[in-house]
Amino acid sequence: MAAVRRWTEGMSSDNVKGLVLALSSSLFIGASFIVKKKGLKKAGSSGTRAGVGGYSYLFEPLWWIGMITMVVGEIANFAAYAFAPAILVTPLGALSIIISAFLAHIILQERLHTFGILGCALCVVGSTTIVLHAPPERQIESVTEVWNLATEPGFLFYSALVLTVVFILIFRFVPQYGQTHIMVYIAVCSLVGSISVMSVKALGIALKLTFSGMNQLIYPQTWAFTLVVVTCVLTQINYLNKALDTFNTAVVSPIYYVMFTSLTILASVIMFKDWDRQTPTQIITEMCGFVTILSGTFLLHKTKDMVDGPSLTSMSIRALKHDEEDGFDEGTPLKCQDSSRIP
């Protein structure tokens, strides 16, 4: 306790507040994955599952508790950035993965192979490396300044590319591969999320300036960013629900964190031109971080059907028996065994 006290005394009061808010955010968000998953499973047992396009979870109180928990976590995360720098707050988001995986193991009885845990660790290390060596955030003075940055050719091209890929995924790949390939749903959430974060930043600036006496609500750009945020968040919620309802929570969480963090940093670099203030050492370190992320993601995929314990033969016999009882010919990779039945 004395060491912790000396460490916190070396931090500013604002940084301590930001640290507490960031830790609280990770706890709420990590727990929300589990509560929402329980709600999705309960709703799917009496209605159409979210994974196949159903919305019965909207009438399930447990799902709403999870949703409220996630909103509280996101608000705490948003508030943390008002007190502490991103270099302190963003890496702590990785704690939500650990919390989610731990609770999934205890509450949902979902299992992750030892090498899968190592893959999660590599993903977290890689993402943290990128965040810690990312360039400092650019200071923004008004919502119109953010709008000017968002309408420059570089970010317009990125936004157009993201929208094109998202539409292709939704209308071409989701119907065919959404139930069997985890990256489809998560890619939609992450790509859309990278755009929403930029708009959330603009709204945060607008609200901060408005509360300080400079009303930003009179600018149409503020409401344009609000519309983007609402659209992106609703899309993220929809496809994140599908991912959670279809695949193992302990795998969804780290992959979503990795893709979302990486794409958000990329969007920020393009929009705010952070590369102009980077050294070769920072660039090389970030590249190493991306390689680490790719290694962790690859390890997660290669171990998705592996479990610790009994031999492969006994596992295969039990899996075959389980499939015959459920009426399936072949298991779906990364699928949740207890939520695979479609009413």
Side-chain angles (χ1 to χ4, degrees), residues 35-103:
V35 179
K36 287 173 66 179
K37 180 67 175 286
K38 293 284 286 186
L40 289 169
K41 290 168 62 178
K42 187 175 180 182
S45 65
S46 59
T48 305
R49 287 175 45 213
V52 293
Y55 295 94
S56 58
Y57 60 85
L58 294 175
F59 302 97
E60 174 54 50
L62 194 58
W63 181 86
W64 281 106
I65 292 175
M67 192 65 220
I68 293 172
T69 303
M70 176 172 279
V71 170
V72 171
E74 294 295 348
I75 292 174
N77 187 60
F78 180 82
Y81 282 102
F83 291 99
I87 196 171
L88 173 64
V89 176
T90 308
L92 294 177
L95 294 177
S96 64
I97 299 174
I98 301 173
I99 293 170
S100 179
F102 175 76
L103 293 178

Side-chain angles (χ1 to χ4, degrees), residues 135-136 152 154-155 265-280 282-283 286:
E152 289 188 354
F155 191 73
I265 291 176
L266 176 61
S268 180
V269 165
I270 294 173
M271 185 168 174
F272 297 108
K273 298 179 176 59
D274 293 323
W275 60 76
D276 293 338
R277 302 188 298 276
Q278 284 190 285
T279 64
Q282 288 177 308
I283 296 174
E286 290 176 9

Side-chain angles (χ1 to χ4, degrees), residues 205-216:
I205 293 171
L207 291 175
K208 181 179 179 181
L209 292 174
T210 299
F211 292 144
S212 65
M214 295 180 288
N215 188 8
Q216 301 292 302

Side-chain angles (χ1 to χ4, degrees), residues 17 54 107 112 158-160 175 195 212 215 217 240 246 250 273 282 291 320 327 341:
K17 293 176 183 177
I107 299 176
L112 194 62
Y158 174 79
S159 300
I195 300 296
S212 65
N215 188 8
L217 301 180
L240 183 58
T246 308
K273 298 179 176 59
Q282 288 177 308
V291 172
L320 179 60
R341 184 169 309 166

Side-chain angles (χ1 to χ4, degrees), residues 45-322:
S45 65
S46 59
T48 305
R49 287 175 45 213
V52 293
Y55 295 94
S56 58
Y57 60 85
L58 294 175
F59 302 97
E60 174 54 50
L62 194 58
W63 181 86
W64 281 106
I65 292 175
M67 192 65 220
I68 293 172
T69 303
M70 176 172 279
V71 170
V72 171
E74 294 295 348
I75 292 174
N77 187 60
F78 180 82
Y81 282 102
F83 291 99
I87 196 171
L88 173 64
V89 176
T90 308
L92 294 177
L95 294 177
S96 64
I97 299 174
I98 301 173
I99 293 170
S100 179
F102 175 76
L103 293 178
H105 177 82
I106 299 298
I107 299 176
L108 301 179
Q109 284 77 50
E110 294 182 354
R111 297 296 181 262
L112 194 62
H113 189 269
T114 301
F115 288 111
I117 297 174
L118 177 60
C120 291
L122 287 173
C123 291
V124 172
V125 169
S127 296
T128 303
T129 300
I130 293 174
V131 171
L132 290 177
H133 293 85
E137 294 184 357
R138 179 172 178 171
Q139 296 297 320
I140 305 296
E141 301 296 334
S142 69
V143 69
T144 55
E145 185 178 348
V146 183
W147 180 263
N148 292 335
L149 292 172
T151 53
E152 289 188 354
F155 191 73
L156 285 178
F157 175 78
Y158 174 79
S159 300
L161 182 61
V162 166
L163 290 176
T164 301
V165 174
V166 167
F167 277 116
I168 292 175
L169 287 172
I170 291 176
F171 295 106
R172 177 69 176 85
F173 289 93
V174 166
Q176 293 187 20
Y177 305 108
Q179 293 289 301
T180 57
H181 292 73
I182 190 173
M183 298 301 292
V184 176
Y185 289 145
I186 295 181
V188 174
C189 294
S190 302
L191 287 166
V192 172
S194 68
I195 300 296
S196 69
V197 168
M198 301 300 103
S199 298
V200 166
K201 183 176 180 64
L203 282 180
I205 293 171
L207 291 175
K208 181 179 179 181
L209 292 174
T210 299
F211 292 144
S212 65
M214 295 180 288
N215 188 8
Q216 301 292 302
L217 301 180
I218 60 175
Y219 296 106
Q221 291 91 334
T222 300
W223 300 105
F225 282 124
T226 302
L227 179 62
V228 173
V229 169
V230 172
T231 303
C232 290
V233 168
L234 290 177
T235 303
Q236 286 178 267
I237 291 173
N238 183 33
Y239 286 95
L240 183 58
N241 281 335
K242 293 178 185 292
L244 288 172
D245 188 52
T246 308
F247 303 101
N248 192 315
T249 307
V251 180
V252 171
S253 299
I255 295 178
Y256 175 61
Y257 171 79
V258 166
M259 290 193 66
F260 174 75
T261 303
S262 301
L263 289 170
T264 298
I265 291 176
L266 176 61
S268 180
V269 165
I270 294 173
M271 185 168 174
F272 297 108
K273 298 179 176 59
D274 293 323
W275 60 76
D276 293 338
R277 302 188 298 276
Q278 284 190 285
T279 64
T281 301
Q282 288 177 308
I283 296 174
I284 293 174
T285 304
E286 290 176 9
M287 291 177 62
C288 291
F290 274 111
V291 172
T292 306
I293 289 173
L294 293 177
S295 301
T297 304
F298 175 78
L299 193 56
L300 276 171
H301 278 286
K302 294 301 290 185
T303 60
K304 62 182 179 292
D305 296 320
M306 299 170 60
V307 294
D308 291 317
S311 65
L312 180 62
T313 303
S314 62
M315 288 189 299
S316 300
I317 293 174
R318 288 202 303 270
L320 179 60
K321 182 178 179 181
H322 178 77

